[in-house]
């Protein structure tokens, strides 16, 4: 095989890989468009390897498309994170904090809100755009695994995201946010119910 043939083969393989990844992205988005609600038990792990420290929280996650997400913690009881009506608030130990949402400046909390909502709706393009990241997806053991890596690595903040979806339902199984310093936050879900009715009182925090 000469150099010209080798280059042509590499181009064909690269195009095929991009097409395959795009097909997975499209499937995830299509599956999630068929569902309007999502309720699951979740675990949140905040890991700091260098400090050998790990914090584990758990609770119930509620999502109503396209932009209402509540993470209601049972441990620690009473804590919550709520995204609704364009706002983002969090309750910790009885104290409520409302985060300013600045699309123009893309504040850290604004990007987190868009990342969480985009992940729940299966809109990987939205997540990638907000994080200025490239997407690589693969299918493995009945799951879609997608890696989003910052196009320009930063010395602080999130540099890579790992999302895992169920291939059959499109439900988000896990989301991992990896920071430049090695710390990461991992959300994992189980007992997922899609299409179930969520009471209006659920959102009253």
């Amino acid at each position: 095989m000469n150099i010209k043939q080798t280059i042509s083969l590499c181009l064909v393989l690269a195009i095929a890989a991009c097409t395959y990844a795009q097909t997975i992205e499209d499937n995830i988005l299509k599956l999630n468009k068929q569902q309007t609600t999502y309720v699951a038990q979740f675990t949140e792990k905040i890991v700091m390897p260098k400090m050998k420290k790990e914090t584990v929280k758990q609770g119930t996650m509620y999502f109503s498309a396209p932009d209402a997400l509540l993470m209601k913690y049972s441990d620690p009881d009473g804590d919550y994170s709520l995204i609704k009506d364009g706002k983002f608030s969090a309750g910790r130990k009885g104290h409520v904090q409302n985060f300013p949402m600045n699309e123009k400046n893309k504040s850290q909390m604004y990007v987190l809100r868009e990342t969480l909502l985009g992940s729940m709706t299966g809109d990987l393009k939205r997540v990638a755009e907000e994080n200025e990241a490239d997407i690589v997806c693969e299918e493995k053991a009945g799951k879609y695994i997608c890696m989003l890596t910052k196009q320009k690595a930063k010395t602080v903040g999130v540099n890579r995201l790992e999302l895992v979806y169920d291939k059959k339902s499109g439900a988000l199984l896990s989301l991992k946010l990896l920071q430049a310093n090695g710390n990461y936050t991992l959300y994992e879900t189980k007992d997922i119910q899609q299409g179930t009715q969520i009471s209006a009182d659920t959102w009253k925090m």
Side-chain angles (χ1 to χ4, degrees):
M1 184 180 293
N2 58 38
I3 294 177
K4 186 175 181 180
Q5 290 174 322
T6 301
I7 293 174
S8 297
L9 178 59
C10 289
L11 288 172
V12 169
L13 292 174
I15 292 172
C18 289
T19 302
Y20 176 68
Q22 184 61 54
T23 299
I24 290 178
E25 290 177 47
D26 292 342
N27 284 346
I28 293 171
L29 183 60
K30 181 179 178 180
L31 287 168
N32 278 279
K33 282 185 175 180
Q34 296 172 3
Q35 304 293 338
T36 58
T37 62
Y38 173 110
V39 179
Q41 300 303 305
F42 80 96
T43 299
E44 174 187 303
K45 294 180 182 179
I46 301 175
V47 181
M48 301 178 182
K50 293 180 181 179
M51 298 178 64
K52 296 181 179 180
K53 182 178 180 181
E54 179 176 308
T55 302
V56 180
K57 303 178 181 181
Q58 59 187 353
T60 305
M61 181 181 295
Y62 302 88
F63 176 71
S64 180
D67 58 2
L69 173 65
L70 170 63
M71 288 184 280
K72 189 174 182 180
Y73 297 88
S74 56
D75 181 15
D77 187 36
D79 284 6
Y80 70 88
S81 294
L82 174 64
I83 299 173
K84 195 173 187 297
D85 300 326
K87 300 177 182 178
F88 191 170
S89 63
R92 299 290 185 269
K93 297 180 179 180
H95 175 71
V96 178
Q97 183 174 4
N98 296 301
F99 303 106
M101 294 290 101
N102 192 325
E103 180 177 359
K104 184 178 180 180
N105 295 331
K106 285 194 174 183
S107 65
Q108 183 178 354
M109 297 309 294
Y110 172 82
V111 173
L112 178 58
R113 184 191 73 174
E114 293 301 296
T115 297
L116 292 173
L117 292 178
S119 299
M120 294 303 302
T121 56
D123 192 344
L124 295 175
K125 182 178 179 181
R126 175 183 180 182
V127 177
E129 287 179 350
E130 293 298 340
N131 287 276
E132 300 177 346
D134 294 319
I135 309 172
V136 176
C137 294
E138 65 174 341
E139 178 188 333
K140 187 176 181 179
K143 300 175 183 177
Y144 289 136
I145 302 171
C146 296
M147 305 288 187
L148 281 73
T149 306
K150 288 273 190 181
Q151 296 164 352
K152 295 182 180 179
K154 296 184 178 181
T155 56
V156 294
V158 176
N159 268 343
R160 193 167 85 245
L161 302 93
E162 300 177 0
L163 301 95
V164 180
Y165 293 89
D166 182 77
K167 179 184 175 182
K168 185 177 181 180
S169 67
L172 180 67
L173 301 177
S174 68
L175 168 63
K176 189 175 185 179
L177 309 171
L178 296 100
Q179 299 185 39
N181 61 5
N183 296 346
Y184 65 86
T185 301
L186 173 64
Y187 298 96
E188 294 181 300
T189 61
K190 65 179 183 178
D191 301 331
I192 300 169
Q193 300 177 53
Q194 292 176 295
T196 188
Q197 185 174 358
I198 300 176
S199 169
D201 291 337
T202 300
W203 310 101
K204 296 178 181 179
M205 303 304 298

